[in-house]
Amino acid sequence: VALANTSATVDAARESHGWARVFARFYDAAFTLGEWGGMRAMRERLLSQARGRTLEIGGGTGLNLAHYPDGLAELILSDPEPAMRARLQRKLDRSGRPARLLDAGAELLPLGDCSIDTVVCTLVLCTVDDPQAALAEIARVLRPDGQLLLIEHVRAHSPRLARWQDRLERPWRAFAVGCRCNRDTAALLAAAGFETELRHARWRLMPPLVRPLIAGRARPR
Ligand SMILES: C[S@@+](CC[C@H](N)C(=O)[O-])C[C@H]1O[C@@H](n2cnc3c(N)ncnc32)[C@H](O)[C@@H]1O
C-alpha cells in the first residue's frame, strides 16, 4: 500500500491498462451533463454531513473534493486505479486542502478497526469486484457511531429497465471499467447488516442504465 501526502508524486510503478487510462482522462467531461443534471447538488447535500475523520473510497478524479466541509478532523482519499489517483492528486494539489491519498481498494483498507467517523462512497460500490468484502471492511473501520454516506446507481425497480440492465451488464462493464449497472446495492447493504436512511432519485441526463440512484446514510448495526 502506497501512502502519499498531497505534495508527493503518485506511485508510478503500477499503471492503469489502456482503456482505464482513456476512461480516467475523459471521466470529468463524460460526467458533465450528469453533474449539471443534479449529481453535483446531491454530492453537496451528502457531503455537508461528513464529520470527524473521513475516508473517501474510490475517490476517482476528485469530483467530491469541492464539497467537503471545512473542519474535518482528517480527510483520507483512496482509489486503487493509478490513472484515477493521478487526477485526484492533481485536483488535491490545486485545492490546497490537506488530505492523505491512499492506494487502496475498498476490499482491503489499510486502516485500523473503529478508526473512522465517516466513510464516503459515491458511484463506487457498483464497481468493486467484491462488494460484500468492501462493506465488511467499511463496517470494520467505522467507529460504533460512524456513518457511511453514499450515492450509488442501482438495479432498477422497473422490471423492464432491470431486464435491460441484465442484458447490457457485460458490455457496460467493459465500457465503464468494471461498473455493474444491475447491482442491487440497497439489498447488499441490508445483507451486510447496515441500517439505512436512503432516498431514491434519478440521475438525470445520464444513460437510462445508470439513472436509478440511491442516496443517503447507512450505519453498521
Ligand atoms: C465511477 S468511478 C466514481 C468516482 C468518484 N467516486 C465519483 O463520484 O465520481 C468508480 C471509482 O471506483 C474506483 N474503484 C474501482 N475498484 C475499486 C475498489 N475495489 N475499491 C475502491 N474503489 C474502486 C475506480 O478506480 C473509480 O475511481
Side-chain angles (χ1 to χ4, degrees), residues 27 31-47 63-64 67 122-123 151-153 199 201-204 206 210-215:
Y27 186 89
F31 272 53
T32 303
L33 279 180
E35 294 295 309
W36 286 347
M39 182 55 74
R40 197 181 151 81
M42 286 180 74
R43 293 180 191 277
E44 200 172 315
R45 177 172 164 183
L46 184 81
L47 294 168
L63 289 178
N64 285 331
H67 305 297
T122 61
L123 312 171
I151 303 172
E152 293 289 339
H153 67 76
R199 66 189 181 91
R202 284 167 60 76
W203 196 358
R204 291 189 301 123
M206 289 299 272
V210 295
R211 258 182 227 161
L213 295 172
I214 53 172

Side-chain angles (χ1 to χ4, degrees), residues 59-159:
T61 60
L63 289 178
N64 285 331
L65 256 187
H67 305 297
Y68 282 104
D70 293 332
L72 295 176
E74 187 181 1
L75 180 60
I76 306 168
L77 307 168
S78 66
D79 202 292
E81 189 62 53
M84 287 297 211
R85 219 170 43 249
R87 285 179 159 70
L88 186 53
Q89 177 82 67
R90 261 180 256 148
K91 228 171 257 176
L92 199 50
D93 288 343
R94 280 203 302 268
S95 77
R97 185 181 269 282
R100 267 202 295 158
L101 191 55
L102 293 181
D103 170 5
E107 296 93 335
L108 190 61
L109 297 169
L111 295 162
D113 296 358
C114 305
S115 60
I116 297 291
D117 299 293
T118 303
V119 171
V120 172
C121 235
T122 61
L123 312 171
V124 174
L125 291 171
C126 54
T127 299
V128 302
D129 285 332
D130 187 343
Q132 282 94 350
L135 291 171
E137 269 299 81
I138 292 170
R140 180 185 68 77
V141 300
L142 276 175
R143 297 201 165 109
D145 61 345
Q147 55 174 353
L148 166 63
L149 300 178
L150 66 110
I151 303 172
E152 293 289 339
H153 67 76
V154 290
R155 185 176 186 79
H157 276 148
S158 140

